[in-house]
């Protein structure tokens, strides 16, 4: 249903088209495609050229900043101001950092990964019930990014669930709901605390971001990304370069590497060398709100041919009806004019999710 009516294979530079009636592949998802035993090459609709160099992981990944969350909530003002300063550098220079000592039990993080995996292990028929219909559906199961609009397909299946301000969750697998409910609450608390620190770093009241963007009813979307082994990992991509739409994204994965972030114009591989940590990245609404001081980081997910990679990304954004624009206190027409126009978060989200995803181009539409 998702895949086109014929399949194009590129074998030894010769293109074969397998007619639907002969070979109507019932494989809707990359997961089922990847599980077919005689798949040695990717269907050409997945062919993607990664034409940029990646910094050797050993070069730069050690420099990715780490924020000790427990210090952010310290009652000692010196300790707190030191870590807030580190947060400022992390957001400005990288837009990406690890968060440790965050207090979320490792068992809960493991359960989120485990239950998410169980979701993808449901039968195709069971998962079909959650197939995506429109961008703001509370539960959306799908493949690629925007299957109907993507020019080429990405080697990725996904489940997107709106977990706040209303909590939603697929009714399967057993126990998923309890795990996601608790996880959404805990990650929201962490995002809020980080945003309080960021608000301070912008020279604003600590709760300014929270109040102005109505985080109490902020939109939180939990996305599970599944990247099955790919027979030609260097010829396809899991998630193409993009930035996230919200304020801050909290990411965890099943310990398999694949995430790359763009840092000073170069791709840097992120290693999973800090157990029980969150990978946090700045997103588009923060870039707009901070008038460009904290740019959203561009990132992508690459593939391997051996093991399935699973990641869980929680985007924490403003309320859907919040109007986002550069914070008034940060701009003045003469000295520091606003660099972005105002737009409701809902409109921005629909624009980003409803189109093809190409780097940070969505932001260009609100740039003044
Ligand atoms: C995302 C994302 C990266 C990953 O879900 O927005 O960038 O490692 N995921 O899966
Ligand atoms: Ni992302």
């Amino acid at each position: 249903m998702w895949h086109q009516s014929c399949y194009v294979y590129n074998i030894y530079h010769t293109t074969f088209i397998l007619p639907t009636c002969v070979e109507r592949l019932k494989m809707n998802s990359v997961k089922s495609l990847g599980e077919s035993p005689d798949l040695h090459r990717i269907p050409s609709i997945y062919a993607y050229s990664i034409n940029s160099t990646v910094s050797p992981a050993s070069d730069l990944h050690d420099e990715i900043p780490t924020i000790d969350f427990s210090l952010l909530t310290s009652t000692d003002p010196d300790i707190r101001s030191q870590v807030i300063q580190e947060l400022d550098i992390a957001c400005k220079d990288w837009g990406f950092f690890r968060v440790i000592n965050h207090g979320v039990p490792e068992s809960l993080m493991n359960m989120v990964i485990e239950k998410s995996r169980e979701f993808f292990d449901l039968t195709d028929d069971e998962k079909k019930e959650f197939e995506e219909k429109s961008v703001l559906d509370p539960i959306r199961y799908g493949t690629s990014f925007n299957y109907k609009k993507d020019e080429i397909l990405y080697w990725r299946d996904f489940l997107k669930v709106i977990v706040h301000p209303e909590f939603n969750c697929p009714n399967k697998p057993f126990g998923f709901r309890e795990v996601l409910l608790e996880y959404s609450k805990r990650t929201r608390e962490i995002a809020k605390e980080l945003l309080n620190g960021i608000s301070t770093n912008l020279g604003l009241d600590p709760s300014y971001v929270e109040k102005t963007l109505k985080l109490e009813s902020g939109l939180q979307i939990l996305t599970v990304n599944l990247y099955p082994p790919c027979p030609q990992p260097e010829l396809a991509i899991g998630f193409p370069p993009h930035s996230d739409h919200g304020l801050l994204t909290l990411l965890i994965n099943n310990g398999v590497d694949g995430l790359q972030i763009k840092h000073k114009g170069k791709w840097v591989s992120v290693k999973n060398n800090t157990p029980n940590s969150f990978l946090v990245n700045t997103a588009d609404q923060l870039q707009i709100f901070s008038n460009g001081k904290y740019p959203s980081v561009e990132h992508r997910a690459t593939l391997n041919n051996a093991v399935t990679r699973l990641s869980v990304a929680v985007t924490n954004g403003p309320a859907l009806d919040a109007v986002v624009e550069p914070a008034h206190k940060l701009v003045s027409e003469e000295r520091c004019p606003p660099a972005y126009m105002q737009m409701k978060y809902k409109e921005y989200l629909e624009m980003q999710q409803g189109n093809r995803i190409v780097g940070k181009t969505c932001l260009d539409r609100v740039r003044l």
Side-chain angles (χ1 to χ4, degrees), residues 167-182:
F167 178 77
N168 300 277
C169 185
N171 55 3
K172 302 169 220 188
F174 179 75
F176 204 14
R177 188 178 183 85
E178 290 69 25
V179 168
L180 287 202
L181 184 63
E182 181 63 14

Side-chain angles (χ1 to χ4, degrees), residues 92-203:
K92 247 187 345 217
D93 290 359
W94 285 83
F96 189 85
F97 50 93
R98 293 192 170 90
V99 170
I100 57 166
N101 297 332
H102 43 69
V104 180
E106 197 169 353
S107 54
L108 177 61
M109 294 166 82
N110 291 340
M111 279 305 269
V112 171
I113 299 285
E114 200 175 307
K115 289 287 158 195
S116 299
R117 181 71 217 225
E118 281 177 28
F119 174 83
F120 285 99
D121 286 340
L122 297 173
T123 64
D124 283 348
D125 278 350
E126 284 174 305
K127 283 181 285 193
K128 263 206 164 69
E129 189 187 324
F130 307 109
E131 231 167 61
E132 77 170 316
K133 282 149 216 97
S134 71
V135 166
L136 278 171
D137 272 356
I139 300 176
R140 295 155 63 198
Y141 162 64
T143 195
S144 193
F145 179 74
N146 216 325
Y147 177 75
K148 291 194 188 115
K149 296 202 173 160
D150 294 334
E151 212 165 3
I152 64 151
L153 297 182
Y154 308 120
W155 199 265
R156 159 195 188 237
D157 297 332
F158 66 82
L159 171 70
K160 290 188 195 183
V161 187
I162 295 183
V163 289
H164 194 262
E166 271 116 48
F167 178 77
N168 300 277
C169 185
N171 55 3
K172 302 169 220 188
F174 179 75
F176 204 14
R177 188 178 183 85
E178 290 69 25
V179 168
L180 287 202
L181 184 63
E182 181 63 14
Y183 189 68
S184 117
K185 203 172 92 197
R186 301 297 293 259
T187 46
R188 206 157 55 240
E189 281 162 7
I190 293 173
K192 190 178 115 183
E193 198 62 53
L194 291 170
L195 286 165
N196 287 355
I198 287 172
S199 199
T200 310
N201 281 332
L202 288 169

Side-chain angles (χ1 to χ4, degrees), residues 225 239 242-244 249 251 259 281 297 299-300 313 315:
N225 301 294
F239 207 142
H242 69 282
S243 54
D244 298 341
T249 303
L251 190 75
L259 177 66
N281 66 267
V297 70
H299 53 287
R300 66 186 184 187
T315 57

